[in-house]
Amino acid sequence: MKPLDLPFARPAMDEAMIAAVADTLRSRWIVTGPRSAQFESALSQRFGGRSVRAVTSATAAMQLALEMLHIGAGDEIVAPAQSFFVTGNLIERSGAKAVFVDVDLVTRNLDLDAAQSAVTPRTKLLLPTHYNAPLDPAALAAFAKRHGVRILEDAALAIGSRYPDGRAVGATGDLVTFSFHPNKNMTTIEGGAIVLDAANEIATIDELRFHGIRRLPDGTRDVEQAGTKYNFSDVSAALGLEQLKHLDDWCAQRERLAMHYFRCLEGDDLLTPDRLPPRHNPGHSWNMFTVLLPLAAYGKPRKAFIDAMREEGIGIGISYEAIHLTSLFRQKGFQEGMFPNSERISRETVTLPLHPEMTESDVERVCAALSRLLRRKAA
Ligand SMILES: Cc1ncc(COP(=O)(O)O)c(C=O)c1O
């Protein structure tokens, strides 16, 4: 097998980033400290001055949000059936009941009408993912008001996304969490953040992310709510601060590459526009370029396609499996046929390579391989 010279995701990295990490290591202050605070305030600037708390991952940020909201047994959370496993896992771990709803086939965002119908008096939270397009902030705010629920926006894929009015995703809304995993639009190796407003909630996150410790005026420490340990490291922050400087340029390059994908795939009678992400998508940060494979025409399982692309040195991802069809949720009575769009995406989706150090000729190479393989197998 050829080495994978074109992975589906790859963090951009330069010497300034490496030097910033090395400087931090040399400083000996490597855990939470001045650089973490600087990183949080740089993010806060992007999010219109809202408060930001950086933690070890988006998963950690989302978990802290659920704990902060005291969500547990007897509560319900409405969430998309098509998102990363973390959505189902965290609901399950909180003790609440997951109430899944379907997503739109093209934007892959949660269907808000279906979410309205899923609300009950036990609903505490809506947990939508910003997927193939930014969620509509006005619709989310109206939903929260109408139903008296909190909203936690999973914006793991959306660091760098902007709304049509130019504001960054995260600059508005209720609770918003981001991921800085290397597959995302900027990285801190592992890392995540939560954006929030209320002083008491910020104080709770501060405590929960570091053992629940509260400093008392007499210099002693106390714990009221059992905390955990998700504090951010200054080494990660040093990398994040350098990465953040390039985020907008990288998103612009991602968009250029995405548009080139559309141009290259245009007119392909197998990859029709309904199988592609939304083309007119201003402000979208293009973390992924997802395609629904025409498996019937291809005549082979998706894995055969992924393996064949790998043979060409091209990495292909899968985002995501339908959460309600995991063993975890099948045991609770979820089954095929409940959320057709989520299930179809789960069966047919592949993620094509898209990262800012790619060139248009890389895109052409992917499209040529894709087109050739699909036709070869279809013939
Ligand atoms: C939609 C979504 N939400 C949350 C996460 C969790 O991010 P992290 O790896 O930073 O915990 C991911 C990770 O891939 C994701 O894709």
Side-chain angles (χ1 to χ4, degrees), residues 50-71:
R50 299 184 73 195
S51 294
V52 178
R53 290 297 182 269
V55 288
T56 45
S57 65
T59 304
M62 295 164 79
Q63 185 185 331
L64 291 179
L66 297 191
E67 289 182 14
M68 179 191 81
L69 296 172
H70 298 291
I71 287 176

Side-chain angles (χ1 to χ4, degrees), residues 124-351:
K124 276 269 188 74
L125 184 74
L126 181 72
L127 179 41
T129 303
H130 289 262
Y131 203 143
N132 269 349
L135 292 159
D136 176 351
L140 289 184
F143 187 100
K145 198 166 166 205
R146 188 169 321 123
H147 300 293
V149 299
R150 299 294 298 269
I151 299 190
L152 170 55
E153 294 170 37
D154 176 357
L157 311 176
I159 184 73
S161 275
R162 292 188 182 274
Y163 293 116
D165 67 6
R167 281 188 297 177
V169 165
T172 181
D174 187 359
L175 306 166
V176 189
T177 52
F178 291 94
S179 173
F180 308 123
H181 178 274
N183 284 359
K184 304 301 183 284
N185 287 4
M186 58 164 281
T187 191
T188 61
I189 305 174
E190 293 284 2
I194 180 164
V195 186
L196 70 179
D197 303 304
N200 63 327
E201 296 194 336
I202 296 163
T204 303
I205 295 290
D206 282 340
E207 288 178 12
L208 288 179
R209 74 174 166 172
F210 195 67
H211 305 291
I213 291 174
R214 177 179 295 178
R215 290 181 189 279
L216 302 179
D218 67 359
T220 60
R221 299 179 296 175
D222 187 26
V223 171
E224 195 175 280
Q225 196 175 337
T228 182
K229 189 163 188 300
Y230 291 153
N231 58 299
F232 200 56
S233 93
D234 265 25
V235 178
S236 285
L239 177 58
L241 281 163
E242 285 300 319
Q243 291 253 319
L244 203 47
K245 292 179 188 167
H246 300 271
L247 177 60
D248 290 326
D249 287 345
W250 288 339
C251 289
Q253 170 67 354
R254 283 175 177 277
E255 183 175 34
R256 276 192 291 276
L257 295 168
M259 292 309 128
H260 203 55
Y261 266 120
F262 284 113
R263 279 193 294 277
C264 292
L265 297 173
E266 218 160 33
D268 189 307
D269 57 334
L270 289 181
L271 279 177
T272 43
D274 55 314
R275 295 185 172 277
L276 305 180
R279 183 173 188 157
H280 180 71
N281 203 354
H284 182 49
S285 59
W286 291 104
N287 178 250
M288 296 191 279
F289 194 91
T290 56
V291 163
L292 295 178
L293 280 184
L295 289 175
Y298 180 51
K300 290 208 165 195
R302 175 174 54 185
K303 185 171 183 307
F305 172 81
I306 294 174
D307 290 348
M309 289 293 269
R310 277 197 77 97
E311 284 294 328
E312 310 242 352
I314 299 171
I316 298 290
I318 295 181
S319 293
Y320 300 98
E321 295 80 355
I323 303 173
H324 68 291
L325 296 183
T326 55
S327 300
L328 174 64
F329 286 100
R330 280 181 191 268
Q331 284 164 18
K332 295 173 186 291
F334 288 97
Q335 51 184 275
E336 264 103 2
M338 295 176 95
F339 307 113
N341 290 346
S342 299
E343 292 166 23
R344 183 170 165 208
I345 293 167
S346 179
R347 278 192 308 272
E348 298 181 1
T349 195
V350 289
T351 306

